[in-house]
Amino acid sequence: MPGASRPVGGPGLPQARRIVSEIPGPRSRELLARQRTSVPAGVGAVLPVFVAAAGGGVIVDVDGNSFIDFGSGIAVTTVGNSAPAVVERAAEQLRRFTHTCFLVNPYESYLDVCERLNELSPVPGEKRTILVNSGAEAVENAVKIARAATGRPGIVVFDHAFHGRTLLTMSLTAKNKPYKQGFGPFAPEVHRAPMAYPYRWPTGPADCAEEAADALEDLLDRQVGAENVAAVLVEPIQGEGGFVVPAPGFLPRVAEICRARGILLIVDEIQAGIARTGRMFACEYENVRPDLITTAKGLAGGLPLGAVTGRAELMDAVPAGGLGGTFSGNPVACEAALGVFDAIETGGLLERALELGDTMLARLAELADAHPVVGDVRGRGAMVAVELVEPFGDRVPAPDLAARIARRCHTDGLLVLTAGSYGNVLRFLPPLSISDALLDEGLTILAEAVAKEAASAAV
Ligand code: PLZ
């Protein structure tokens, strides 16, 4: 950034959109050229501007452009980038000690994070939590624990699911390209059931929950054999799959189906959890009480931390030495997570997520009324999306239109992300620290981009 070699982020950054160069700008282009010769081509970037500072509701790049942030680093900086509560605690910890390895010498902040997650999570009864480094590692550990506790191998997942990029979690993920193509053979004992996706359910939304649950029962009882299944793993709102909110009643029926067969229910809250939807955990919306919950992303305000929280008797089924990792539950990340919990509580961030959601859903509903290409508007709290379809036709996915709208938003100074099995979903995940003014401005930029691109799509 010209004239400022060490910019400071956080809420003190000027909260304004400002575009001063082409996007990406000259300095970002230089860095991109370096990236091409130093980083493999398989690592992509949604908006390839290099970041100088971020905070509140903006991301400032190395050319001095300031973007409104509707992405939060994919639902990670929920409490804001460089949020003061996170920075202060993490910085103090950096000066005390950076690492001991919890398996070698434990430290108290790890326990504090586990106790908070045990208190807050809707898992019933006595609970335990293990900390890890990432979302994928949390899912891997949840599956290990479920298998050890039940003595069964099978895992059932859903269409449109995303659970990570490691061998097991990529096998659990639904979408072939870009996540799986060329990376097989995949982990065995993974079975897939239809997701209760109201907008795309063949018989319409009314019977979606019941019919999808019946299909799960059929898979368990007639194909796999329930006695071979350790766990059903489900996202309470599908993230990468396109912010699919399961038809109401589906998740409670999945829980019932599992309970009746001694199958564990693992809810993957990695994208939807930690205040994002206006509840600490998105499965609370349907009063679902999972056996195991995975969290990551928003948990430590940007530092790498994941967790599995579960019923004590399941978590304790693995003998000492069976779980762990060198960096797992790093003390700086633990302090950051404690800062996140404080920020959520003292900042009233659950309510703020609901407010942001109300504003977004209202504006997006207007957009859907005005433009038939906006086929569906859905989400909860600050986790909201629109699904784009061709102007003529029956819900034909429009991925090119989604990409064009996203690109127009980017050049106009609004960071939005795409998602969905068909690549036709625009998703909105603003940090909960965004101001009303920036949220409003972002939604106006989006509305203009949709209007312009929808007009050219209809020609
Ligand atoms: N489970 C529900 O959303 C990560 C992926 C970004 P990690 N989603 C963002 C990308 O393209 O790799 C995710 C998720 C759900 C698991 C994960 C995996 O979490 O921290 O990326 O491993």
Side-chain angles (χ1 to χ4, degrees), residues 212-286:
D214 291 347
L216 173 66
E217 260 181 340
D218 186 74
L219 176 80
L220 292 172
D221 294 339
R222 272 166 285 286
Q223 299 180 45
V224 188
E227 64 271 36
N228 302 313
V229 177
V232 169
L233 167 63
V234 66
E235 294 159 84
I237 297 178
Q238 291 186 312
E240 304 306 306
F243 284 19
V244 177
V245 183
F250 177 67
L251 292 177
R253 254 206 80 195
V254 171
E256 235 174 72
I257 289 168
C258 288
R259 202 171 311 117
R261 291 164 178 77
I263 295 170
L264 302 179
L265 177 64
I266 309 174
V267 172
D268 181 346
E269 292 266 2
I270 288 166
Q271 191 152 160
I274 316 293
R276 174 52 57 189
T277 66
R279 303 280 174 90
M280 225 27 213
F281 297 90
C283 67
E284 292 170 32
Y285 274 97
E286 293 215 73

Side-chain angles (χ1 to χ4, degrees), residues 61-360:
D61 76 6
V62 289
D63 289 290
N65 299 297
S66 178
F67 297 86
I68 299 173
D69 183 9
F70 274 16
S72 297
I74 321 188
V76 169
T77 53
T78 306
V79 298
N81 240 304
S82 299
V86 171
V87 172
E88 278 154 30
R89 294 192 76 130
E92 277 172 29
Q93 179 58 39
L94 276 167
R95 288 192 195 92
R96 277 195 298 271
F97 61 94
T98 48
H99 171 83
T100 59
C101 187
F102 192 75
L103 307 177
V104 177
N105 306 115
Y107 36 87
E108 192 171 348
S109 56
Y110 186 116
L111 308 184
D112 293 336
V113 175
C114 295
E115 285 169 1
R116 293 302 292 275
L117 283 170
N118 291 344
E119 273 163 35
L120 292 167
S121 76
V123 170
E126 202 185 330
K127 300 167 226 185
R128 306 273 187 270
T129 290
I130 177 177
L131 301 181
V132 293
N133 298 295
S134 67
E137 209 187 333
V139 174
E140 292 265 354
N141 276 279
V143 169
K144 279 169 67 172
I145 292 162
R147 284 178 170 161
T150 60
R152 302 172 178 183
I155 304 295
V156 172
V157 288
F158 292 90
D159 285 342
H160 314 289
F162 184 95
H163 297 293
R165 290 177 180 271
T166 58
L167 173 59
L168 174 61
T169 59
M170 149 182 87
S171 306
L172 299 169
T173 291
K175 194 174 175 177
N176 179 37
K177 278 185 187 166
Y179 303 128
K180 302 169 86 164
Q181 181 62 40
F183 299 144
F186 301 109
E189 294 297 341
V190 173
H191 309 279
R192 198 169 303 281
M195 167 48 70
Y197 184 166
Y199 183 65
R200 296 205 171 272
W201 194 254
T203 61
D207 296 325
C208 173
E210 285 302 304
E211 289 177 10
D214 291 347
L216 173 66
E217 260 181 340
D218 186 74
L219 176 80
L220 292 172
D221 294 339
R222 272 166 285 286
Q223 299 180 45
V224 188
E227 64 271 36
N228 302 313
V229 177
V232 169
L233 167 63
V234 66
E235 294 159 84
I237 297 178
Q238 291 186 312
E240 304 306 306
F243 284 19
V244 177
V245 183
F250 177 67
L251 292 177
R253 254 206 80 195
V254 171
E256 235 174 72
I257 289 168
C258 288
R259 202 171 311 117
R261 291 164 178 77
I263 295 170
L264 302 179
L265 177 64
I266 309 174
V267 172
D268 181 346
E269 292 266 2
I270 288 166
Q271 191 152 160
I274 316 293
R276 174 52 57 189
T277 66
R279 303 280 174 90
M280 225 27 213
F281 297 90
C283 67
E284 292 170 32
Y285 274 97
E286 293 215 73
N287 299 316
V288 167
R289 311 207 64 186
D291 298 292
L292 300 161
I293 287 183
T294 55
T295 48
K297 289 195 186 281
L299 180 57
L303 276 84
L305 192 68
V308 184
T309 302
R311 285 167 44 211
E313 67 265 35
L314 306 173
M315 300 292 286
D316 284 337
V318 181
L323 301 172
T326 305
F327 292 120
S328 300
N330 166 273
V332 182
C334 284
E335 289 292 340
L338 295 171
V340 166
F341 292 128
D342 287 353
I344 292 170
E345 264 178 36
T346 58
L349 294 187
L350 295 174
E351 296 73 33
R352 183 62 184 150
L354 294 176
E355 275 172 24
L356 298 178
D358 288 346
T359 304
M360 289 195 286

